[in-house]
Amino acid sequence: MSRLFLPSLVTVIFLLESIIVQLVSQPLFDVYLLVPRMLLVFIVFITIFIGQTEGMMYGFIFGLLYDVTYTELLGAYAFAFSLIAYLIAKAMNVLHKNAWTASFFAIVAIACVEWYVYAIQLVIGGTTMSVSTFFQARFLPTLFIHTIVILLIAYPLKQTLLKWHEKRDESSPV
Amino acid sequence: MPKFFLNKRLIILLVSIMVLVALIGFSLKERNELSWMEKFVKDTVVFMQSIVHKPAQFVAGFFENVNDLRHTYEENKRLKEHLEQYVLLQSEVESLKKENERLRELLNKKESLRDFVAIQATVIGRNPDRWEETLIVNKGSQHGVKKDMAVITPQGLIGKVRSVSPFSATVQLLSAKNRQNRISAFIQGDENVFGLIEGYDEEREALLLKRIPYDAKIEKGQRVFTSGLGGIFPKGLFIGEVEEVVADEYGLTQIAYIKPAANFYDIDDVIIVKRKIEMSQEEEEQ
């Protein structure tokens, strides 16, 4: 596995978020608005299994890319992603690193980001969605889908990241 | 208390929150153009996206094709019926067009608000965070796209260009919640009724056509078009049909709910519309 493996993997995930939304943009059953948050899941896993610096770096860079290309609301995601990476890194000082804690933190992170962006949109007047509509039509379905996906990919993703990390440490001259 | 403020992390956090608020304020400001850095990043991402987009669309297209095949027979039957009407309509349109041209020549008025140049573009992405419905298309200022141009699909108007970089543009859909999203439109009838499209009702999935005179008689099913009076949009782009008319909160004007003709979800290709009249004016200025 080359050094470029992880950056390119995260880039592809970043690009796919937008493409998937474009291909399947119809709300599910005309009610549920699903939001892809796989990029955030990757950032959480990178923070836990590779390191705080990498996690915050990926969070900031890809958050900023997200802001510039997709939402045109500069800073919102860059701040959220790097803060989440930082807080999770601090929490991991006292917790065991395994697939379960990583999945748990990934789900918590998605929940936090959803509420955070909703709050920003409410403040700047970008939406008039009521809290109950947001909770039922957007928040719960998104969280539900991601919980399933995270439980499916948590273990393989952890193994891949650890392997890449080991390989990189071996190859890099210290 | 002094110790509290000496905490380095806290200071960093506070400073970054301040930067965040400043940046959000900066991006909310009405900007005529993106900064060169944003343009560069956007074009790079769009370039990579168009590479990843092709295989992804191929896979999605396969399932769609299977679905299409199942309905082919019914569709074919329906289309044949339409075809007969279409021939009649076409001959009518031809004769009207000729008459129009002749009358225009008589009046010595060559251009109309209706004339436009179409720029074909492919949608390669959509805002994944889905608060503001925007599309990313693969044509930019190098192809002649400008801010605020109208964007249509064959079914009807879907939105306008929000920002442009050299090789890509962001399209804001009509369903986006934005107070700047204002379009001058008219309801076609014996007497055309003018109004402004302002806002979108998410629950009814209808556009709001406001500022209609209180005494205007509007019926359900009447068709709504852009009026071309707002500046950049050409005249006569189809928006949708009237669903319901209600009095506004003060009873001075009426509000019509318009069912948009275009589907805001399943969009693959769009047409960016450039009005001819404005171009000639610009040339005169130069």
Short mmCIF file of all heavy atoms in Angstrom, two decimals, chain B residues 19-58:
data_model
loop_
_atom_site.label_atom_id
_atom_site.label_comp_id
_atom_site.label_asym_id
_atom_site.label_seq_id
_atom_site.Cartn_x
_atom_site.Cartn_y
_atom_site.Cartn_z
N VAL B 19 -12.91 33.46 13.97
CA VAL B 19 -12.60 33.35 12.54
C VAL B 19 -13.78 32.73 11.81
O VAL B 19 -14.17 33.17 10.72
CB VAL B 19 -11.31 32.52 12.33
CG1 VAL B 19 -11.10 32.23 10.86
CG2 VAL B 19 -10.12 33.26 12.89
N LEU B 20 -14.38 31.70 12.44
CA LEU B 20 -15.52 31.02 11.82
C LEU B 20 -16.66 31.99 11.56
O LEU B 20 -17.21 32.05 10.47
CB LEU B 20 -15.99 29.88 12.74
CG LEU B 20 -17.30 29.21 12.37
CD1 LEU B 20 -17.14 28.38 11.11
CD2 LEU B 20 -17.81 28.34 13.50
N VAL B 21 -16.99 32.77 12.60
CA VAL B 21 -18.11 33.72 12.46
C VAL B 21 -17.79 34.75 11.37
O VAL B 21 -18.63 35.07 10.53
CB VAL B 21 -18.39 34.41 13.81
CG1 VAL B 21 -19.39 35.54 13.62
CG2 VAL B 21 -18.92 33.41 14.81
N ALA B 22 -16.53 35.21 11.36
CA ALA B 22 -16.14 36.19 10.34
C ALA B 22 -16.25 35.59 8.94
O ALA B 22 -16.77 36.23 8.02
CB ALA B 22 -14.71 36.66 10.59
N LEU B 23 -15.81 34.33 8.80
CA LEU B 23 -15.85 33.69 7.48
C LEU B 23 -17.29 33.48 7.02
O LEU B 23 -17.62 33.69 5.85
CB LEU B 23 -15.15 32.33 7.54
CG LEU B 23 -13.65 32.35 7.29
CD1 LEU B 23 -13.07 30.97 7.46
CD2 LEU B 23 -13.36 32.88 5.91
N ILE B 24 -18.16 33.07 7.96
CA ILE B 24 -19.57 32.87 7.59
C ILE B 24 -20.18 34.19 7.16
O ILE B 24 -20.87 34.27 6.14
CB ILE B 24 -20.35 32.23 8.76
CG1 ILE B 24 -19.94 30.76 8.91
CG2 ILE B 24 -21.85 32.34 8.52
CD1 ILE B 24 -20.64 30.03 10.00
N GLY B 25 -19.86 35.24 7.92
CA GLY B 25 -20.36 36.56 7.54
C GLY B 25 -19.87 36.95 6.16
O GLY B 25 -20.63 37.45 5.33
N PHE B 26 -18.59 36.66 5.90
CA PHE B 26 -18.01 36.98 4.60
C PHE B 26 -18.71 36.23 3.48
O PHE B 26 -19.03 36.80 2.43
CB PHE B 26 -16.52 36.63 4.61
CG PHE B 26 -15.84 36.72 3.28
CD1 PHE B 26 -15.61 37.95 2.69
CD2 PHE B 26 -15.45 35.57 2.62
CE1 PHE B 26 -15.00 38.03 1.47
CE2 PHE B 26 -14.83 35.65 1.39
CZ PHE B 26 -14.61 36.88 0.82
N SER B 27 -19.02 34.93 3.71
CA SER B 27 -19.63 34.17 2.61
C SER B 27 -21.11 34.48 2.45
O SER B 27 -21.67 34.21 1.40
CB SER B 27 -19.39 32.67 2.78
OG SER B 27 -19.38 32.29 4.12
N LEU B 28 -21.75 35.05 3.48
CA LEU B 28 -23.16 35.40 3.33
C LEU B 28 -23.35 36.70 2.56
O LEU B 28 -24.41 36.97 2.04
CB LEU B 28 -23.80 35.54 4.71
CG LEU B 28 -24.16 34.24 5.39
CD1 LEU B 28 -24.81 34.53 6.72
CD2 LEU B 28 -25.09 33.43 4.53
N LYS B 29 -22.28 37.49 2.53
CA LYS B 29 -22.36 38.77 1.83
C LYS B 29 -22.63 38.51 0.35
O LYS B 29 -22.11 37.56 -0.21
CB LYS B 29 -21.02 39.50 2.01
CG LYS B 29 -21.12 40.98 2.03
CD LYS B 29 -19.76 41.56 2.35
CE LYS B 29 -18.73 41.14 1.35
NZ LYS B 29 -17.38 41.56 1.61
N GLU B 30 -23.44 39.36 -0.24
CA GLU B 30 -23.69 39.21 -1.67
C GLU B 30 -22.40 39.48 -2.44
O GLU B 30 -21.91 40.61 -2.48
CB GLU B 30 -24.74 40.23 -2.12
CG GLU B 30 -26.11 39.68 -2.38
CD GLU B 30 -26.16 38.58 -3.40
OE1 GLU B 30 -26.02 37.39 -3.04
OE2 GLU B 30 -26.35 38.88 -4.58
N ARG B 31 -21.85 38.41 -3.00
CA ARG B 31 -20.60 38.61 -3.72
C ARG B 31 -20.86 38.47 -5.20
O ARG B 31 -21.59 37.58 -5.63
CB ARG B 31 -19.57 37.56 -3.28
CG ARG B 31 -18.99 37.85 -1.94
CD ARG B 31 -17.88 36.88 -1.64
NE ARG B 31 -18.39 35.53 -1.46
CZ ARG B 31 -17.60 34.48 -1.41
NH1 ARG B 31 -16.30 34.60 -1.56
NH2 ARG B 31 -18.11 33.29 -1.21
N ASN B 32 -20.25 39.33 -5.99
CA ASN B 32 -20.44 39.20 -7.42
C ASN B 32 -19.55 38.14 -8.01
O ASN B 32 -19.86 37.54 -9.02
CB ASN B 32 -20.17 40.54 -8.10
CG ASN B 32 -21.36 41.45 -8.02
OD1 ASN B 32 -22.49 40.96 -7.98
ND2 ASN B 32 -21.12 42.73 -7.94
N GLU B 33 -18.44 37.90 -7.34
CA GLU B 33 -17.51 36.93 -7.89
C GLU B 33 -16.85 36.17 -6.76
O GLU B 33 -16.67 36.71 -5.66
CB GLU B 33 -16.45 37.66 -8.71
CG GLU B 33 -16.29 37.11 -10.09
CD GLU B 33 -15.20 37.85 -10.83
OE1 GLU B 33 -15.30 39.07 -10.96
OE2 GLU B 33 -14.24 37.19 -11.23
N LEU B 34 -16.48 34.94 -7.03
CA LEU B 34 -15.74 34.17 -6.03
C LEU B 34 -14.28 34.61 -6.07
O LEU B 34 -13.81 35.14 -7.06
CB LEU B 34 -15.83 32.68 -6.36
CG LEU B 34 -17.20 32.04 -6.32
CD1 LEU B 34 -17.11 30.62 -6.83
CD2 LEU B 34 -17.75 32.04 -4.91
N SER B 35 -13.56 34.37 -4.97
CA SER B 35 -12.14 34.69 -4.98
C SER B 35 -11.40 33.68 -5.87
O SER B 35 -11.90 32.58 -6.11
CB SER B 35 -11.59 34.65 -3.56
OG SER B 35 -11.79 33.37 -3.02
N TRP B 36 -10.24 34.05 -6.33
CA TRP B 36 -9.54 33.16 -7.28
C TRP B 36 -9.23 31.82 -6.65
O TRP B 36 -9.19 30.79 -7.31
CB TRP B 36 -8.26 33.83 -7.81
CG TRP B 36 -7.21 34.04 -6.77
CD1 TRP B 36 -7.05 35.15 -6.00
CD2 TRP B 36 -6.20 33.12 -6.36
NE1 TRP B 36 -6.01 34.97 -5.14
CE2 TRP B 36 -5.45 33.74 -5.34
CE3 TRP B 36 -5.84 31.82 -6.77
CZ2 TRP B 36 -4.39 33.11 -4.70
CZ3 TRP B 36 -4.77 31.21 -6.14
CH2 TRP B 36 -4.06 31.85 -5.12
N MET B 37 -9.01 31.83 -5.32
CA MET B 37 -8.68 30.57 -4.66
C MET B 37 -9.87 29.62 -4.69
O MET B 37 -9.74 28.45 -4.98
CB MET B 37 -8.26 30.84 -3.22
CG MET B 37 -7.06 30.05 -2.82
SD MET B 37 -6.14 30.87 -1.54
CE MET B 37 -7.20 30.69 -0.15
N GLU B 38 -11.05 30.17 -4.39
CA GLU B 38 -12.26 29.35 -4.44
C GLU B 38 -12.47 28.80 -5.84
O GLU B 38 -12.81 27.64 -6.03
CB GLU B 38 -13.47 30.17 -4.03
CG GLU B 38 -13.60 30.36 -2.54
CD GLU B 38 -14.68 31.35 -2.20
OE1 GLU B 38 -14.43 32.56 -2.32
OE2 GLU B 38 -15.78 30.92 -1.85
N LYS B 39 -12.27 29.66 -6.83
CA LYS B 39 -12.45 29.24 -8.22
C LYS B 39 -11.51 28.08 -8.55
O LYS B 39 -11.90 27.10 -9.15
CB LYS B 39 -12.15 30.40 -9.17
CG LYS B 39 -13.27 31.38 -9.29
CD LYS B 39 -12.90 32.42 -10.32
CE LYS B 39 -13.89 33.54 -10.35
NZ LYS B 39 -13.43 34.65 -11.16
N PHE B 40 -10.25 28.25 -8.13
CA PHE B 40 -9.26 27.22 -8.44
C PHE B 40 -9.63 25.89 -7.78
O PHE B 40 -9.66 24.85 -8.42
CB PHE B 40 -7.88 27.70 -7.96
CG PHE B 40 -6.81 26.67 -8.12
CD1 PHE B 40 -6.31 26.38 -9.39
CD2 PHE B 40 -6.31 25.98 -7.03
CE1 PHE B 40 -5.34 25.42 -9.55
CE2 PHE B 40 -5.34 25.02 -7.18
CZ PHE B 40 -4.85 24.74 -8.44
N VAL B 41 -9.96 25.95 -6.48
CA VAL B 41 -10.32 24.73 -5.76
C VAL B 41 -11.53 24.07 -6.39
O VAL B 41 -11.57 22.87 -6.62
CB VAL B 41 -10.59 25.07 -4.27
CG1 VAL B 41 -11.22 23.89 -3.56
CG2 VAL B 41 -9.32 25.48 -3.57
N LYS B 42 -12.52 24.89 -6.73
CA LYS B 42 -13.74 24.37 -7.31
C LYS B 42 -13.48 23.66 -8.62
O LYS B 42 -13.95 22.56 -8.85
CB LYS B 42 -14.71 25.52 -7.55
CG LYS B 42 -15.93 25.37 -6.73
CD LYS B 42 -16.93 26.39 -7.09
CE LYS B 42 -18.14 26.08 -6.27
NZ LYS B 42 -19.05 27.16 -6.19
N ASP B 43 -12.71 24.32 -9.48
CA ASP B 43 -12.44 23.71 -10.78
C ASP B 43 -11.66 22.41 -10.64
O ASP B 43 -11.91 21.45 -11.35
CB ASP B 43 -11.67 24.68 -11.68
CG ASP B 43 -12.61 25.68 -12.31
OD1 ASP B 43 -13.82 25.45 -12.24
OD2 ASP B 43 -12.12 26.67 -12.88
N THR B 44 -10.72 22.38 -9.69
CA THR B 44 -9.96 21.14 -9.48
C THR B 44 -10.90 20.03 -9.03
O THR B 44 -10.85 18.91 -9.56
CB THR B 44 -8.88 21.37 -8.40
OG1 THR B 44 -8.28 22.63 -8.63
CG2 THR B 44 -7.86 20.28 -8.43
N VAL B 45 -11.73 20.34 -8.05
CA VAL B 45 -12.66 19.32 -7.55
C VAL B 45 -13.61 18.87 -8.65
O VAL B 45 -13.85 17.68 -8.83
CB VAL B 45 -13.44 19.84 -6.33
CG1 VAL B 45 -14.53 18.87 -5.95
CG2 VAL B 45 -12.51 20.06 -5.16
N VAL B 46 -14.12 19.82 -9.41
CA VAL B 46 -15.06 19.47 -10.47
C VAL B 46 -14.39 18.60 -11.53
O VAL B 46 -14.98 17.65 -12.03
CB VAL B 46 -15.65 20.75 -11.11
CG1 VAL B 46 -16.33 20.45 -12.42
CG2 VAL B 46 -16.63 21.39 -10.15
N PHE B 47 -13.13 18.90 -11.80
CA PHE B 47 -12.40 18.07 -12.78
C PHE B 47 -12.30 16.63 -12.29
O PHE B 47 -12.62 15.68 -13.01
CB PHE B 47 -10.99 18.66 -13.00
CG PHE B 47 -10.13 17.79 -13.85
CD1 PHE B 47 -10.39 17.67 -15.21
CD2 PHE B 47 -9.07 17.07 -13.31
CE1 PHE B 47 -9.60 16.86 -16.00
CE2 PHE B 47 -8.28 16.26 -14.09
CZ PHE B 47 -8.54 16.16 -15.44
N MET B 48 -11.92 16.47 -11.01
CA MET B 48 -11.81 15.11 -10.46
C MET B 48 -13.18 14.45 -10.41
O MET B 48 -13.33 13.26 -10.66
CB MET B 48 -11.20 15.16 -9.07
CG MET B 48 -9.74 15.54 -9.09
SD MET B 48 -8.94 15.22 -7.53
CE MET B 48 -9.60 16.49 -6.50
N GLN B 49 -14.18 15.27 -10.07
CA GLN B 49 -15.52 14.72 -9.95
C GLN B 49 -16.04 14.20 -11.28
O GLN B 49 -16.70 13.16 -11.32
CB GLN B 49 -16.45 15.82 -9.44
CG GLN B 49 -17.59 15.28 -8.66
CD GLN B 49 -18.15 16.34 -7.75
OE1 GLN B 49 -18.07 17.52 -8.03
NE2 GLN B 49 -18.72 15.93 -6.66
N SER B 50 -15.71 14.92 -12.35
CA SER B 50 -16.22 14.45 -13.64
C SER B 50 -15.58 13.13 -14.03
O SER B 50 -16.17 12.36 -14.78
CB SER B 50 -16.00 15.51 -14.72
OG SER B 50 -14.67 15.94 -14.71
N ILE B 51 -14.38 12.85 -13.51
CA ILE B 51 -13.76 11.55 -13.78
C ILE B 51 -14.50 10.45 -13.01
O ILE B 51 -14.85 9.42 -13.56
CB ILE B 51 -12.27 11.56 -13.37
CG1 ILE B 51 -11.52 12.57 -14.25
CG2 ILE B 51 -11.66 10.18 -13.52
CD1 ILE B 51 -10.10 12.80 -13.79
N VAL B 52 -14.77 10.70 -11.71
CA VAL B 52 -15.43 9.69 -10.90
C VAL B 52 -16.90 9.56 -11.30
O VAL B 52 -17.50 8.50 -11.17
CB VAL B 52 -15.33 10.07 -9.40
CG1 VAL B 52 -15.90 8.97 -8.53
CG2 VAL B 52 -13.90 10.33 -9.02
N HIS B 53 -17.44 10.64 -11.84
CA HIS B 53 -18.87 10.68 -12.13
C HIS B 53 -19.28 9.67 -13.19
O HIS B 53 -20.34 9.07 -13.13
CB HIS B 53 -19.24 12.09 -12.57
CG HIS B 53 -20.69 12.29 -12.82
ND1 HIS B 53 -21.21 12.45 -14.07
CD2 HIS B 53 -21.74 12.33 -11.98
CE1 HIS B 53 -22.51 12.59 -13.99
NE2 HIS B 53 -22.86 12.53 -12.73
N LYS B 54 -18.40 9.47 -14.19
CA LYS B 54 -18.79 8.63 -15.33
C LYS B 54 -19.10 7.19 -14.92
O LYS B 54 -20.18 6.70 -15.23
CB LYS B 54 -17.70 8.70 -16.40
CG LYS B 54 -17.83 10.00 -17.15
CD LYS B 54 -17.31 9.96 -18.56
CE LYS B 54 -17.57 11.31 -19.20
NZ LYS B 54 -16.41 12.22 -19.11
N PRO B 55 -18.15 6.49 -14.24
CA PRO B 55 -18.51 5.13 -13.83
C PRO B 55 -19.70 5.08 -12.89
O PRO B 55 -20.54 4.19 -13.00
CB PRO B 55 -17.24 4.61 -13.15
CG PRO B 55 -16.37 5.77 -12.94
CD PRO B 55 -16.76 6.81 -13.93
N ALA B 56 -19.81 6.07 -12.01
CA ALA B 56 -20.94 6.08 -11.07
C ALA B 56 -22.25 6.21 -11.82
O ALA B 56 -23.22 5.51 -11.53
CB ALA B 56 -20.78 7.23 -10.07
N GLN B 57 -22.24 7.07 -12.83
CA GLN B 57 -23.47 7.26 -13.59
C GLN B 57 -23.79 6.03 -14.42
O GLN B 57 -24.95 5.69 -14.62
CB GLN B 57 -23.33 8.49 -14.50
CG GLN B 57 -24.67 9.04 -14.89
CD GLN B 57 -24.55 10.21 -15.82
OE1 GLN B 57 -23.56 10.34 -16.53
NE2 GLN B 57 -25.56 11.04 -15.84
N PHE B 58 -22.74 5.35 -14.88
CA PHE B 58 -22.95 4.14 -15.66
C PHE B 58 -23.70 3.10 -14.85
O PHE B 58 -24.67 2.50 -15.29
CB PHE B 58 -21.59 3.59 -16.12
CG PHE B 58 -21.72 2.32 -16.89
CD1 PHE B 58 -22.13 2.34 -18.22
CD2 PHE B 58 -21.43 1.11 -16.29
CE1 PHE B 58 -22.26 1.15 -18.93
CE2 PHE B 58 -21.56 -0.08 -17.00
CZ PHE B 58 -21.97 -0.06 -18.32
#
